[in-house]
Amino acid sequence: MKKAELMDEKAMTRAITRISHEIVEKNKGIENIVLVGVKTRGIPIAKRIAKKIEEIEGTSLPVGEIDISRYRDDISERRVEVALHDDINLFDTDKKTVVLIDDVLYTGRTVRAALDYIIDNGRPKAIQLAVLVDRGHRELPIRADYVGKNVPTSKNEFISVKLIEIDGEDSVTINE
């Protein structure tokens, strides 16, 4: 059941624009930066950030895509069948700053799995985290470097991110 709309299309665009500017500012440009979206909704968000950074800097950034299903520590709980092959479009990350991008930061377990994946596939100079929504309730010591919106939630609420590329609309809602 929808409790409240947290972000509409315009608010999401503003958040992505702000995150994009913050990435450029914190890294003093975009040299040796790689954006990596976590499947599913992190990928289109990463592509949007890349497009916005290209508008700002006039140079495009590579965007990688990772599926961290094999790296999840709750696979047996979820009874998910994971393919034996990697679903990845990740390129050389050695000695580069990787900006890992996802839609919602909650317990930190997805980010931990993504970090394991990235480190297993290269040796980045640094890894930064960008999320559209941070809802709290961390189970691991993980903090985002770039946040579109901080939303305190209870554990029986959940955040629903919808993106035009996947769902046909842009919105973020809090649901019970």
Side-chain angles (χ1 to χ4, degrees), residues 75-90:
I75 289 204
S76 60
E77 278 180 37
R78 295 179 352 195
R79 293 189 173 92
V80 172
E81 266 194 50
V82 179
L84 294 176
H85 63 78
D86 289 336
D87 180 12
I88 184 171
N89 176 18
L90 186 62

Side-chain angles (χ1 to χ4, degrees), residues 8-162:
D8 59 10
E9 182 179 355
K10 287 183 180 181
M12 287 176 72
T13 300
R14 285 191 301 272
I16 287 170
T17 299
R18 184 171 25 80
I19 289 169
S20 302
H21 280 283
E22 289 174 359
I23 289 169
V24 172
E25 289 172 22
K26 182 173 183 169
N27 293 289
K28 297 176 177 62
I30 59 169
E31 188 176 335
N32 288 316
I33 292 182
V34 174
L35 304 179
V36 176
V38 177
K39 186 179 177 186
T40 296
R41 285 173 179 77
I43 295 168
I45 294 170
K47 289 177 180 177
R48 290 183 191 189
I49 290 171
K51 183 178 177 187
K52 185 56 72 175
I53 289 174
E54 185 173 3
E55 290 173 16
I56 296 164
E57 291 290 299
T59 305
S60 64
L61 281 178
V63 179
E65 304 174 0
I66 60 173
D67 179 348
I68 50 92
S69 300
R70 276 187 336 135
Y71 287 80
R72 294 292 306 215
D73 62 1
D74 59 353
I75 289 204
S76 60
E77 278 180 37
R78 295 179 352 195
R79 293 189 173 92
V80 172
E81 266 194 50
V82 179
L84 294 176
H85 63 78
D86 289 336
D87 180 12
I88 184 171
N89 176 18
L90 186 62
F91 29 81
D92 182 27
T93 58
D94 288 346
K95 299 179 182 163
K96 295 184 179 167
T97 298
V98 173
V99 181
L100 182 63
I101 300 168
D102 205 3
D103 57 348
V104 178
L105 177 56
Y106 180 37
T107 63
R109 294 191 179 277
T110 298
V111 174
R112 187 219 38 95
L115 291 171
D116 287 348
Y117 191 111
I118 290 167
I119 291 166
D120 281 355
N121 288 282
R123 178 79 168 92
K125 174 184 167 191
I127 302 174
Q128 300 171 355
L129 176 61
V131 296
L132 189 60
V133 178
D134 182 346
R135 64 169 287 195
H137 301 288
R138 225 63 91 241
E139 294 174 2
L140 300 171
I142 292 175
R143 181 186 57 82
D145 298 281
Y146 314 102
V147 178
K149 187 171 188 78
N150 284 293
V151 181
T153 62
S154 73
K155 288 196 175 198
N156 46 347
E157 296 173 322
F158 68 95
I159 302 292
S160 174
V161 175
K162 293 186 178 177

